[in-house]
Amino acid sequence: MQTLLEVILPVFLVIGFGYVAVWRDLFPASGIDGVLRFAQNFAVPCLLFQAISKIDIAASFDPRLLISFYTGAAACFALGIIGARVFFKRDWEDCIAIGFCCLFSNSVLLGLPIAERAYGPDALTGNFAIIAFHSPFCYGLGITVMEIVRGRGQSAGKLFRSVTRAMFRNALVLGILAGFTVNLSGLTLPGVVDDALSLIARAALPAALFALGGVLIQYKPEGDMKAIAMVCALSLLVHPGIVWGMGTALALDKDQFRAAVLTGAMAPGFNAYIFANMYGRARRVAASAVLIATGSSILSVWFWLAVLA
């Protein structure tokens, strides 16, 4: 109970503030779009840029950590596609959009604040290592599979251009790449620039959580409940379960193990809806799954924090 009160509830209270503010017309829904755009396109990329530009790459990017997490993510992507096809008879493009919901954990908006409150800011190295590859891996996998299905017979060159164009329009990917550039080049940012980035980065998580709450009220859970339940089960239970097994087999150290399992236990991120909307496929499933899984993760995250203690 103490973990629930001290770690999880503050995060979900901020989400709740955003939800209630829009619900009661205390904050305009149009304003939420601006807050979300600020968080996703400016503040969070600045946060990721700073973290990756200063991280000790040799010590932080343990292949065992990335294999453990992304094996679970890719497995849930495949299971989501197969489940949607076999059990719900959806067409292939719908299946890939549903699979993407099972693939893309909310590693930034939920994962970072929960991990920080649970284990402290010094224990986030593993989280940042996972996040550094999260958007490139998930969008690269999802877009590639979708483009293959949509453009059957499409040339490899055209497919590569489609995937690359979609990825390099993502501000998170650009922030991550800029961070790696500064880190690997040995450049040192002027103190005044670093301080300015820190001011923006400090606003990232509270702004993103508030905006997430405001966005969630726009999506009403309706229809497709069996498909949504499958997405929730794969995201909240199967993904962290696979990561647990892989992390144990590969002998991850305690901090890395916690980072991988807890990040895997996060609900589908809002990017799941962005992906579905981008292709106009399974949007109702994606929106409802984000809403229901985010609410359900209050209990599932509590469970995983308890077993990780």
Side-chain angles (χ1 to χ4, degrees):
M1 182 60 73
Q2 184 176 0
T3 300
L4 178 66
L5 294 175
E6 294 182 357
V7 176
I8 303 172
L9 282 186
V11 171
F12 282 93
L13 280 174
V14 179
I15 296 173
F17 290 152
Y19 190 95
V20 172
V22 175
W23 173 40
R24 304 306 299 172
D25 291 327
L26 301 174
F27 197 91
S30 59
I32 286 292
D33 292 338
V35 176
L36 185 63
R37 185 169 298 179
F38 164 74
Q40 287 194 325
N41 293 345
F42 298 96
V44 173
C46 285
L47 173 68
L48 297 178
F49 167 79
Q50 277 202 311
I52 293 169
S53 67
K54 298 174 182 178
I55 201 170
D56 184 345
I57 291 178
S60 304
F61 287 86
D62 188 332
R64 297 173 302 165
L65 170 68
L66 301 178
I67 290 170
S68 297
F69 180 83
Y70 287 109
T71 297
C76 287
F77 179 58
L79 290 171
I81 293 173
I82 293 168
R85 183 70 175 179
V86 172
F87 297 116
F88 309 121
K89 312 302 180 186
R90 307 294 288 249
D91 66 39
W92 281 112
E93 291 183 34
D94 273 11
C95 291
I96 294 163
I98 291 170
F100 193 87
C101 295
C102 307
L103 167 69
F104 206 108
S105 303
N106 198 337
S107 59
V108 176
L109 305 192
L110 286 181
L112 278 181
I114 288 175
E116 182 177 15
R117 293 196 61 81
Y119 306 120
D122 295 334
L124 296 179
T125 300
N127 295 75
F128 285 124
I130 290 170
I131 290 168
F133 293 95
H134 199 216
S135 288
F137 176 86
C138 293
Y139 274 108
L141 179 59
I143 291 170
T144 299
V145 175
M146 182 66 87
E147 292 295 335
I148 289 172
V149 169
R150 296 181 75 205
R152 297 175 182 87
Q154 182 175 253
S155 69
K158 186 175 181 181
L159 174 62
F160 177 78
R161 287 193 297 273
S162 298
V163 173
T164 303
R165 184 169 57 250
M167 288 181 62
F168 281 90
R169 288 176 177 173
N170 188 298
L172 298 179
V173 173
L174 295 177
I176 290 165
L177 291 176
F180 274 120
T181 300
V182 170
N183 190 310
L184 296 173
S185 67
L187 293 173
T188 301
L189 294 178
V192 64
V193 174
D194 193 52
D195 289 344
L197 288 171
S198 296
L199 287 173
I200 298 174
R202 282 199 291 271
L205 296 181
L209 290 172
F210 183 87
L212 179 61
V215 166
L216 288 178
I217 196 172
Q218 301 175 36
Y219 304 112
K220 311 299 182 186
E222 54 184 2
D224 298 311
M225 291 307 296
K226 291 181 180 179
I228 293 165
M230 180 191 72
V231 172
C232 292
L234 289 172
S235 299
L236 303 180
L237 299 175
V238 176
H239 187 179
I242 293 173
V243 176
W244 183 290
M246 291 293 299
T248 301
L250 295 175
L252 286 179
D253 68 42
K254 188 175 183 179
D255 286 343
Q256 290 178 327
F257 188 78
R258 284 172 166 175
V261 173
L262 195 58
T263 305
M266 293 300 110
F270 186 64
N271 284 285
Y273 177 74
I274 292 174
F275 183 88
N277 190 58
M278 181 167 66
Y279 287 105
R281 289 291 181 164
R283 285 178 288 193
R284 185 168 64 182
V285 173
S288 297
V290 171
L291 174 62
I292 293 172
T294 299
S296 301
S297 64
I298 295 177
L299 296 178
S300 62
V301 170
W302 186 14
F303 166 77
W304 288 111
L305 284 172
V307 299
L308 287 168

